[in-house]
């Protein structure tokens, strides 16, 4: 785990605090507050704050004066209806704030999701820690030969060892030189290079951290893309950890998300057409509905 | 006040609820939760939820593990520094959710602020109440003769009466006809026009309501423009009410906002140049620094 | 058509202009530039400017140095792949700017799409024209009894006449009084009420106009929701008009949009499960896959 | 310059194309289209497309039917008025698309500006070139002792040499190992590590590239922060290059931006108060107006 005793003490102090509030409280989320859930070799995700719960979604959808809850059952039905019909604004009424520690190359993918608020640890101002992501051996894989941007077979034997050695050696050397460059020296005779310059020597597997705040609608969009099996493993594990937190926070909304987004499928107009014929017992081929070979293959993966 | 006994009961029930939370609690805001602050003749603003406090701003700016607070004094200094130097992301780490009741023509200005989440009462689905904004007599004013989009002298005597009569009569007739159009009739013999059509007969002073959620940075931007003396009175009173809530919620941030945004001034490069000369005792005119008459007049309003 | 001879002359002058450019030109869109396509009784849509074409989408996806076009066929295949797999950023590389004249109640729905740039005609500054949307008789319909926010049977006979008379009379009276309130009088003895106040008397079927600029990805999102059969007729006709323009502008992207968004279907995880069973010849009911009656009905609408 | 002959040929072909358009053409920008303006040692900025010109700003502000230009003088006055009074939407009506090549650590700062569209070269899919930013010796500087996130004195002599050697050696070794890891081998016996993994070995001074599209309002916001003297040199040179392009594209808007944003100053309420006293000849100190020592120092830098 990547926390120093001081950091652990600060987190424990936060967890120990408790105060009464008139706001909506989500018991499933309270239990996770501040706890650092480990991800990868040095990373974590921890919930710093949240706003709203399942009822807050329906309350906003109804623009109601009270809790917006007539019956629990109605709430779940309405949430599923909203999800099914792409109503986004009620889900935007819930908000979550996370503290995340993650490798820079993961951060670069993550930040592409623009509708969120971010404060990142500044390497212009502060010194980065000597912490690098080194993959577990079972996560080293060859370039896929069927998918141009994915992984294929797992690397074995000597090749895996060579990769790990290169990654470790280059990380260590890069950090040593970074430290040398910024060192002021005991007597002020160090190089003391500006931090904003020295950081350029550090590789993309170094860890950074940030506060990331996002509403539930945009979080679901992030999770749909990043908890997907085509997402890079190193960001997917963060998404999966967040999925677990969200499932405890807004269980109805998460279940609807799982059913309609994560686990569902998007069919094209020609695919729907093909499907209708197939259900009538007709024999259909790609050409009959104007689909390319690739489109047909992806369609077959869904229905069989 | 625009609330029915049922609505008031729902609000009271919400205010009565209290539960322990590990989250940051802002005592100044807790006291306002759910209370409907009256605005205009039938409108209100009420806080439904909030996230964060002053310390949450500095905590995010520092990407810290704990509360982010070393000393209270440091927090205020850092917040003022962030405001002065246009750092926006730490202020985005606080969030507020409001329930607002407001005339449609005010809602149309308000919604121009796009970086916020909105759920509005649906007039396709529901029936609007018979509530119209009728200005108090002292807020009726002539078109300004010096500012093309503002108000000049207050209307007096008969003119004011005529305006109020026209507004009241037209509102009443429009609503009567709206009611007639959507009426199903006791025996199903009413017109029962689709609500999405009937609503088009209603004037812009009818009240609507929405849930509006926004982060503190974007809220400050809204308040700077709408609490400004050039803003239309009918939206300014909402902004001023929100200013009071924010001052109790995040007092340091609000004070910095007041000093650097609401009360400050933006000077152009030529104005700074003129100022430096003036402070050296030189006599300066608009032409000396390439300013137009209008720019010079606005500059003089700032410095004298 | 809602244009004065002066406006028509200005538009004709714009259409007559032509200048060489090094930028990408989309011939299908050039023909539509500035032409006002009529919508509803007084509204229109006209293209003011555009950026990019089909090739610009693939050029950005490839971050290429040249036109990004190897073979036309490849471009279409890549565009369909991007659409199918929810890649949004390449579509954001095309942009369109429209001038739209539309009733206020339509504008209020439209503006809910926040990721766009808008400049609306200011009723604080200027005087609105006496132009109101009065539905054609065949578009008057009763409130739907199966869908809480839609239209059911068409209104017939006397009921339709009564609705049209109410709408016309109320519009006329509201505008007369608006005109009286803002009138300065020949001798300066008019009421001359501030325009920002007088406008509140005008109903939601009055026309407004704006410049609206949006990227292709967000435009597609708008069109998917607003060209949908569940959208209100009065906004759907604008969306359909824009669909025709887009089809001429970026034909490959539009076709992909039609196949994968407009005409396709989103299936939930339980629906996919049900489908697989059905294709194997098994008999399936809602309860077998945990779907509600409503979900099942919507599913049946898709596959049969 | 970082372009291969093939890339240069593609760019030249693009520049050679010309076609008539009915759209607004900005002659000052046409001359720059596609030309790669060199920045840093291997980077560049090149304009791929643009929408609008100065007149398009006023045309949108007026929601006009024609070109929106009565007299050129009026246009400039209106643009300056809009800039002075923080009207943002008319400036959003212009759009620019750039192709930028830049070091990863610069890209990481740049992407923090979220209201823009980005397509970045994918290191999951493609192989990065062996191009690293190595600072010119005169741009190597010590960490500032007065500003925690800036540069102080220039590095001299041996220290500079050591830094350059470390940067060069580490870049070269990291790339060699990257190449080894992804190499498939002539006989398929290479490691062929997945590219999405191998890239993590590359330091932050490697070059990446992207298509970046942004509206003029948000571009000005970017330029105000990044062309500022406190911005890191390596991003500032990109911002300055873009400033030159914008000055040729929309000369009135750029001049207004220069006068009111780049070159102007924001004064706090206490600073305005102090100023008024000073102009009356009174002696004022920080404490008199409640300013901290730091605030006073920044104020003095503005007015003297």
């Amino acid at each position: 785990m990547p926390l120093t005793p001081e950091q652990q003490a600060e987190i424990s102090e936060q967890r120990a605090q408790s105060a009464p509030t008139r706001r909506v409280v989500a018991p499933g989320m309270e239990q996770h507050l501040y706890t650092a859930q480990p991800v990868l070799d040095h990373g974590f995700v921890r919930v710093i704050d949240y706003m709203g719960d399942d009822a807050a979604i329906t309350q906003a959808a109804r623009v109601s004066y009270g809790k917006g809850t007539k019956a629990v059952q109605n709430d779940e039905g309405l949430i599923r209806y909203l999800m099914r019909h792409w109503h986004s604004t009620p889900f935007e009424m819930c908000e979550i704030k996370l503290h995340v520690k993650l490798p820079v190359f993961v951060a670069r993918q993550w930040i592409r999701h623009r509708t969120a608020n971010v404060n990142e640890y500044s390497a212009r101002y502060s010194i980065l820690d000597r912490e690098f992501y080194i993959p577990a051996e079972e996560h080293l894989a060859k370039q896929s030969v069927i998918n141009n941007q994915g992984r294929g077979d797992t690397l074995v034997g000597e090749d895996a060892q060579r990769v790990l050695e290169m990654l470790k050696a280059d990380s260590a050397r890069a950090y040593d030189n970074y430290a040398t460059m910024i060192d002021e020296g005991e007597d002020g005779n160090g190089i003391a290079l500006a931090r904003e310059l020295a950081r350029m020597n550090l590789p993309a597997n170094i860890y950074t951290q940030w506060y990331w705040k996002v509403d539930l609608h945009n979080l679901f969009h992030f999770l749909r893309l990043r908890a997907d099996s085509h997402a890079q493993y190193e960001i997917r594990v963060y998404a999966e950890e967040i999925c677990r937190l969200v499932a405890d926070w807004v269980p109805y909304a998460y279940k609807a998300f799982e059913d309609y987004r994560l686990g569902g499928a998007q069919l094209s107009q020609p695919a729907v057409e093909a499907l209708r014929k197939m259900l009538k017992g007709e024999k259909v081929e790609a050409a009959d509905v104007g689909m390319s070979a690739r489109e047909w293959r992806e369609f077959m993966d869904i229905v069989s």
Side-chain angles (χ1 to χ4, degrees), chain A:
Chain A
M1 266 292 289
L3 301 175
T4 66
E6 289 74 23
Q7 289 161 350
Q8 195 57 64
E10 288 195 89
I11 291 175
S12 298
E13 193 195 320
Q14 280 188 312
R15 273 188 69 79
Q17 84 191 3
S18 180
T21 184
R22 283 179 168 141
R23 290 173 292 170
V24 164
V25 172
M29 197 59 148
E30 286 285 331
Q31 59 168 320
H32 294 303
L33 267 173
Y34 307 126
T35 306
Q37 313 284 353
V39 184
L40 297 180
D41 51 355
H42 298 290
F44 62 72
V45 170
R46 61 189 199 105
V47 185
I48 297 300
D49 209 340
Y50 69 90
M51 175 190 280
D53 61 359
D54 274 325
I57 297 166
T58 59
Q59 182 192 34
R62 295 176 179 130
V63 193
S64 67
Y65 281 81
K67 279 194 186 173
T69 324
K70 285 288 143 60
V72 165
Q73 205 181 344
N74 290 354
D75 269 6
E76 183 173 12
L78 176 54
I79 285 173
R80 292 182 72 81
Y81 174 89
L82 296 169
M83 181 70 77
R84 202 156 66 242
H85 292 277
W86 302 92
H87 288 250
S88 55
T89 55
F91 297 101
E92 293 172 9
M93 288 288 150
C94 292
E95 190 93 11
I96 189 171
K97 194 196 293 180
L98 302 172
H99 180 187
V100 187
K101 188 167 179 182
L102 70 180
V104 162
F105 72 94
V106 174
R108 297 238 296 135
Q109 283 192 351
W110 194 306
I111 200 82
R112 301 300 302 276
H113 297 264
R114 289 158 297 175
T115 312
N117 311 117
V118 186
N119 280 274
E120 186 174 354
Y121 187 83
S122 168
R124 291 185 74 191
Y125 187 90
S126 308
I127 298 171
L128 288 166
D129 290 333
R130 183 192 282 270
E131 286 182 322
F132 295 89
Y133 169 60
I134 305 295
E137 197 174 325
E138 65 266 31
H139 293 127
L140 292 179
K142 281 178 176 288
Q143 180 77 3
S144 168
V145 289
I146 51 166
N147 179 343
N148 285 326
Q149 57 176 6
R151 302 188 191 179
D153 298 338
T154 304
L155 230 58
V156 286
E158 200 190 336
D159 280 354
Q161 288 314 311
R162 283 184 61 201
V163 166
L164 293 177
E165 278 158 26
M166 284 187 269
L167 290 174
K168 286 178 193 168
D170 285 357
S171 299
R173 190 180 300 101
Y175 195 89
D176 286 345
N177 286 337
Y178 167 73
T180 300
M181 289 192 263
I182 60 175
D183 186 36
E184 300 177 5
E186 286 195 14
D187 49 1
N189 280 340
I191 299 177
L193 184 68
R195 290 165 188 176
E196 66 179 28
L197 283 169
R199 62 171 164 169
M200 80 171 74
N201 202 54
L202 295 167
N205 61 336
I206 195 165
Y207 276 87
T208 183
Q209 47 182 297
W210 59 33
Y211 271 57
W212 190 65
K213 176 169 150 290
V214 68
D215 66 58
L216 183 58
H217 167 68
N218 281 289
L219 179 60
F220 278 150
H221 186 70
F222 173 86
L223 294 176
R224 178 164 62 138
L225 295 177
R226 303 307 178 179
D228 185 271
S229 63
H230 296 90
Q232 180 165 356
Y233 166 78
E234 282 78 15
I235 194 166
R236 200 169 68 234
V237 287
Y238 284 90
E240 288 168 352
E241 188 59 48
I242 297 173
C243 280
R244 280 185 283 274
L245 296 167
V246 175
D248 283 345
W249 173 29
V250 281
Y252 293 153
Y254 185 76
K255 183 66 168 62
F257 166 68
E258 219 172 34
D259 283 352
Y260 291 109
R261 296 284 181 279
L262 263 193
Q266 173 74 16
L267 296 184
S268 68
Q269 176 60 28
V272 171
E273 203 185 313
L275 204 54
R276 289 174 181 172
K277 287 174 193 274
M278 288 158 73
L279 287 170
K280 284 181 195 150
E282 296 177 32
K283 191 145 182 63
V284 194
E285 289 180 9
D288 302 335
V289 289
M291 286 167 76
S292 72
R294 180 165 195 170
E295 285 177 56
W296 185 260
R297 199 167 59 236
E298 293 184 15
F299 172 53
M300 283 297 115
D301 284 348
I302 294 169
V303 297
S304 56

